[in-house]
Amino acid sequence: MNPTRRTAIARMGVALAGASAVPLAAHAQAAWPERPVTVVVGYSAGGAVDAVARTLGQALSKALGQPFVIENRPGAGTNIAVKSVIDAKPDGYTLLMAANALAANMALYKPQPFDAEKDLVPVALVGRVPVVIAANVNTPYTNIKQVIEAAKQKPNSIAYASPGNGSTPHMAAELFARAAGIDLMHVPYRGGAQAITDVIGGQVPLLAMNALEVKPQVAGGKLKVLATLTPQRTPIFPDAPTISEMGFRGFEASVWYALMAPAKTPTAVVERLHAEVQKALQSPEVRERMTAVGGEVLPGDRQMLASLLHSERVRYDKLVRDANIKPD
């Protein structure tokens, strides 16, 4: 065969192969999902993040016609779960239901375990629930202003319990203390249950905790909420004053939930996921369930989540350095 002709045929073949690859790739993305999708959760089953993931997963399964399977992978402060998603194939079939630890762990752990802003792509904010400062019902404090006044008179004389060093409630309480210009004594526990038990029992006077986790004890008259660390009042405790009402305008320390995907996940898949999550969050059924298990529904665009992740990372990085916080 003429060499020139052979070269022309070869080039034609490459061009045809490239042309056919484009519609095939587009078809694969358009057809997503064609099999079950795994949503990894870095917490044990039964907790708030798990409940949020299952609520959203059920809605997405119904909307997209494929199961969204929740896989609980607790350990290392959620780092095991995060790394498993980062290392997964970026095809839209492995997702992460994340919370504040995603931002905090980049500051808490040395060496830095991952870079969430580069290794993951934001899909959608899902919800948030405020952290509250609660107290044993027999403590003399009836509001957070009294705590601030007492702490200023005797620094480190007032103790508060949290679910552990580096936990979101711990970080929230430390951010509040710095905003108020006070020093509180932190008593870390390994989980919220024992912290709540000891505050009810009077071993520790105050408690920093996810609002939903103390709701039953507040309803039962065993704890009282001194303040929610949010700008607006929460429907979980509509009668509880906010930290903004106490003079700290705009201050917020909430637990937030977000859906993430591995970096390089096709944009078309991410955008479709985002759109379906927004639809789900508008559903009365999902909103009701989310309000019960995950606090406030928080729809928003992907840039909103990216900005939140970055700002939280910066805030936690400064706090960890200033307060010398170490993970459990």
Side-chain angles (χ1 to χ4, degrees), residues 6 16-17 24 50 83 137 184 196-197 208 221 257 265 277 292 326:
R6 185 184 297 115
L16 288 172
L24 284 174
D50 175 73
K83 288 181 178 179
V137 292
L184 300 173
I196 291 170
T197 297
Y257 312 108
T265 298
V277 171
K326 306 291 184 184

Side-chain angles (χ1 to χ4, degrees), residues 185-270:
M185 182 186 300
H186 179 224
V187 182
Y189 286 78
R190 289 195 174 275
Q194 190 58 51
I196 291 170
T197 297
D198 279 9
V199 173
I200 290 173
Q203 284 89 341
V204 187
L206 301 181
L207 174 71
M209 193 64 65
N210 175 326
L212 288 169
E213 292 195 52
V214 297
K215 185 178 180 180
Q217 290 75 23
V218 174
K222 296 178 180 179
L223 291 173
K224 56 185 176 183
V225 176
L226 302 183
T228 61
L229 301 185
T230 50
Q232 296 87 28
R233 293 201 176 196
T234 172
I236 303 171
F237 298 121
D239 297 327
T242 70
I243 201 68
S244 287
E245 291 172 46
M246 299 295 106
F248 300 92
R249 301 295 178 190
F251 182 92
E252 178 167 4
S254 299
V255 179
W256 46 263
Y257 312 108
L259 196 63
M260 309 290 292
K264 298 184 180 179
T265 298
T267 301
V269 171
V270 173

Side-chain angles (χ1 to χ4, degrees), residues 8 22 119 234 292 297:
V22 173
D119 299 333
T234 172
V297 170

Side-chain angles (χ1 to χ4, degrees), residues 61-88:
S61 295
K62 184 176 180 180
L64 294 169
Q66 291 289 347
F68 277 66
V69 180
I70 308 305
E71 180 180 312
N72 299 96
R73 300 195 68 177
T78 74
N79 287 344
I80 292 173
V82 175
K83 288 181 178 179
S84 73
V85 174
I86 289 172
D87 293 339

Side-chain angles (χ1 to χ4, degrees), residues 50 138 141 154 201 218 221 239 265 281 296 319 322:
D50 175 73
N138 296 317
Y141 312 116
K154 295 182 69 175
V218 174
D239 297 327
T265 298
L281 295 181
E296 178 187 355
L319 177 64
D322 290 351

Side-chain angles (χ1 to χ4, degrees), residues 111-137:
Q112 183 177 297
F114 50 78
D115 185 338
E117 294 186 85
K118 293 180 180 178
D119 299 333
L120 296 168
V121 61
V123 176
L125 269 170
V126 177
R128 67 182 169 193
V129 58
V131 172
V132 303
I133 303 297
N136 178 291
V137 292

